[in-house]
Amino acid sequence: MKFVSWTSLSLLLLAGYASAFTSSTTRTTISTPPSSALSSSSSPNFENEIGVQAPLGFFDPLGLLQDADAARFNRLRYVELKHGRVAMLAVLGHIVTTAGVRLPGDIDYHGTSFESIPNGIDGLLSVPAAGVLQMVVFVGFLELGVMKDIAGTGEFVGDFRNDGALDFGWDSFSPEEQERKRNIELNQGRAAMMGILGLMVHEELPSHDPYMINALLGAPVDF
């Protein structure tokens, strides 16, 4: 039953992520005024947007952008970027903890060590309730007070520099390099969304091995 439920979840998530691949190495022709990527009064050509890349080109099999206006595109792009960024952190966290990296000491006052927390989904289920609550509060704080265009000066959707508060030299890049880096972020985020989904589904398969492909290739991972 667990296998069936995770299979259903994977199919639903795959359907949602299909729209994420509206991804061109060609430079976008749509202006990006502060705090928004597309003007709501424009008639944008989504085929020339950032993220439309070979070999798929403009890929929207579910028709989520059919008859869509700029506001809807901006909303979908914002969600895509946010999910991609979270997924990249999730994949990295999964790999690091599977490699055995743990914080020193205990996770609570009852002597539960970080070392005793297992990997993957079981690890989350093993964290004490107070620890889960702390994580939820921290993520909520980031969501509501940090990772957003607070100053209203963002040049494109997902620009959270806030007048330099989170700027890591972005303005020192040429326009071509900025576009390249934005495309890289979108591609890596898309790959990470599929990656963490695959790790979760593989973990719930009968083998309980999220790195089962490694085993098939002769390089098994001790999970």
Side-chain angles (χ1 to χ4, degrees), residues 80-96:
E80 177 185 21
L81 281 168
K82 179 189 293 185
H83 288 179
R85 290 166 178 173
V86 171
M88 285 188 279
L89 290 173
V91 170
L92 179 61
H94 201 290
I95 293 174
V96 169

Side-chain angles (χ1 to χ4, degrees), residues 26-212:
T26 57
R27 183 167 177 74
T28 179
T29 60
I30 303 173
S31 61
T32 55
S35 74
S36 66
L38 303 176
S39 171
S40 59
S41 61
S42 65
S43 298
N45 179 12
F46 299 124
E47 287 81 356
N48 292 325
E49 253 302 308
I50 289 283
V52 181
Q53 301 177 14
L56 294 178
F58 180 73
F59 187 68
D60 183 25
L62 299 182
L64 297 181
L65 291 177
Q66 185 175 358
D67 300 325
D69 57 10
R72 176 162 175 77
F73 176 87
N74 289 343
R75 172 60 182 168
L76 291 175
R77 174 51 53 86
Y78 178 80
V79 172
E80 177 185 21
L81 281 168
K82 179 189 293 185
H83 288 179
R85 290 166 178 173
V86 171
M88 285 188 279
L89 290 173
V91 170
L92 179 61
H94 201 290
I95 293 174
V96 169
T97 53
T98 299
V101 178
R102 295 290 190 278
L103 292 172
D106 299 331
I107 196 173
D108 59 20
Y109 293 114
H110 301 292
T112 305
S113 66
F114 284 102
E115 187 68 31
S116 67
I117 303 297
N119 301 320
I121 298 173
D122 288 340
L124 180 61
L125 300 178
S126 300
V127 174
V132 174
L133 178 61
Q134 290 176 47
M135 288 190 288
V136 171
V137 171
F138 179 64
V139 171
F141 166 72
L142 293 178
E143 174 75 11
L144 298 176
V146 179
M147 304 307 295
K148 58 191 302 184
D149 184 15
I150 300 172
T153 57
E155 296 178 2
F156 48 85
V157 173
D159 180 4
F160 300 153
R161 288 176 295 158
N162 292 305
D163 291 330
L166 293 173
D167 195 337
F168 298 98
W170 179 258
D171 290 332
S172 66
F173 302 132
S174 66
E176 292 76 17
E177 184 67 10
Q178 290 179 351
E179 179 177 327
R180 189 180 76 88
K181 289 184 177 296
R182 289 177 64 191
N183 275 311
I184 289 174
E185 180 185 26
L186 281 167
N187 276 346
Q188 292 182 341
R190 292 162 179 168
M193 285 188 281
M194 302 303 293
I196 192 61
L197 175 62
L199 290 171
M200 293 167 62
V201 170
H202 288 174
E203 188 176 339
E204 295 302 313
L205 291 177
S207 64
H208 299 291
D209 181 9
Y211 299 94
M212 59 189 302

